[in-house]
Amino acid sequence: MSMLPSSFQSVIIPDVDTLSIKSEVLDPITITDNLVVFQLPKTGTLDAGSMIQLAGVCDAGGDGHLFYPIDTGINAFIQSATLKIGNKVLTQTQDHAHLSTMMRKFKTPDERAFKDMPRQGTCGDRFAVNSDARVVYRDMVVDSSGDLTVPEYLKPTSSDSTTPVFSIMLSELFSAFKNQQIPLFAIKDNVYIEIVLNTQDTEVSQIGTVCCRDDATVSNRVKISKPNVKFLYDGLYYSDVKSNATMEQALSPKGLTYLYEDVLETFASVPSGVDNQPQVIEREIALSGKSVRTILVSDKPQGDKTGIQGLYISRDQRKPSTLNLRINDQRMYDRGITSPPRKYDELSFAVGQPLQVPSQLYSYDVDTDSTGTVNQNSFFVGKVEGTQLCPADIPDFIQTGDDVRATSAYAGFDLTKGALNTFDNATVVGVKPILFEKTYDRGTGFDNTARELRIFSSVLKTLTIRDGVAMVSA
């Protein structure tokens, strides 16, 4: 458990008069089209509500035609983010756009719509049923032909002064800030946040990396709006008594110790298989000697994307695959899990709450018959920003066009032990890495292409501040 004083733990503080908050707007010390670096003040305690402010600008003529992926928003700009104390990496988030897209879908639709939509530029978060009894996006503009468009105020422009500005909270950027605060005043070394940016140039193959577009005649280039990149720093300042007690503990031989959560990514590729034959794959997850709480998996055909969600999807096959883990030479399940409802339950256990998207976006189970053949479409069949979604009478439209069904097909494994789900409850992995096992029930065409796996593992680490020097566990 955390050894922090009570005033620095994530609990309700009864004597709020001992706390003041000071907000500062910080400019980056380094900024290019690919990299942003912020240096944090050495005063106060870094609050998880601090925000990274970002915006993008498109080429002239692209105004109103480019839009951020509807499930990802401004997060599409961030490839990776690193928090460093001196030259030590405290926490790092790889493939942030993929991870944030996944984790946002566990929030309630109202939270996503009323908070994330204006703050992060997303709009594919709430759903309704239209007159055809099909599930349809709720927060988009309906034009005269019944097609959907992204609200104009969410789209980037070609001017730094008019383009919409969005923000990402520190707790959304780094999982380490979900449960902890960092007393910057007790650390001697400088603290930095480094953000590696995704870029999108004029090549057609890059569409969907940062922005999608509705018109093939306009440039799809989009870059960071440098004047709008800021760090909105919220510093917490406690009373002298509490701050001095924390400093004394940080300067003591025992030091000040944090237990925090970090996310490690394992990327793996899967080759194409044999038509209509099962394909068994095993991939090692390098977690030897670590305490692991959860494992989340995003899986899709190589390079797969849609015209409205961009690259940030996890697409299931039409015939469900089978999943299992081998941990410390023991299989997690006696038999691998195959049915979509069981996978949905296991994913909910891992995150602690259910995936809050329509069933159509999780698997093809809703639209298949008893043989596993997709024979209908219960999702919207019109156009979204000029992208024709799968018509009702073409089950194999995914082969040649955009089908958004089963694009939230994430998998999850809960590695906490027992009923007491405390923060430090985790599985300790021995010398052997965890083995991820998956059996694809391969079909033909699109169901038998090479695939890419992103495995996000939540592990526990410790940060110790002793005599002002930060030490981070492996």
Side-chain angles (χ1 to χ4, degrees), residues 194-265:
E194 297 181 357
I195 299 175
V196 178
L197 301 172
N198 284 319
T199 57
Q200 181 172 307
D201 213 329
T202 56
E203 289 84 356
V204 174
S205 61
Q206 295 186 15
I207 296 175
T209 304
V210 177
C211 280
C212 305
R213 69 177 180 183
D214 67 350
D215 187 345
T217 65
V218 302
S219 170
N220 57 269
R221 178 169 27 219
V222 61
K223 58 184 179 179
I224 199 72
S225 174
K226 295 177 183 177
N228 287 310
V229 177
K230 309 287 183 182
F231 183 63
L232 310 180
Y233 170 68
D234 285 339
L236 308 181
Y237 295 84
Y238 295 92
S239 66
D240 290 343
V241 173
K242 293 186 176 181
S243 296
N244 290 340
T246 301
M247 182 64 79
E248 287 178 8
Q249 189 171 341
L251 295 175
S252 69
K254 191 175 182 180
L256 187 64
T257 300
Y258 288 83
L259 180 65
Y260 69 96
E261 191 173 357
D262 198 8
V263 175
L264 305 181
E265 184 195 15

Side-chain angles (χ1 to χ4, degrees), residues 268-345:
S269 59
V270 178
S272 57
V274 178
D275 286 355
N276 299 313
Q277 295 293 323
Q279 180 188 20
V280 181
I281 63 107
E282 294 181 344
R283 296 293 183 269
E284 290 185 347
I285 311 176
L287 298 172
S288 300
K290 299 188 183 300
S291 297
V292 186
R293 285 181 51 82
T294 61
I295 292 178
L296 302 176
V297 182
S298 172
D299 182 4
K300 68 171 186 173
Q302 203 167 71
D304 187 20
K305 59 185 176 182
T306 72
I308 60 176
Q309 297 162 307
L311 300 176
Y312 310 108
I313 62 175
S314 177
R315 192 191 295 275
D316 195 13
Q317 295 193 147
R318 285 167 288 189
K319 294 182 179 180
S321 53
T322 302
L323 305 174
N324 212 333
L325 289 180
R326 183 177 291 275
I327 308 171
N328 297 331
D329 278 337
Q330 291 186 336
R331 301 187 79 191
M332 185 168 182
Y333 309 105
D334 290 337
R335 293 182 298 174
I337 56 175
T338 303
S339 68
R342 175 69 188 281
K343 292 177 184 174
Y344 181 91
D345 286 343

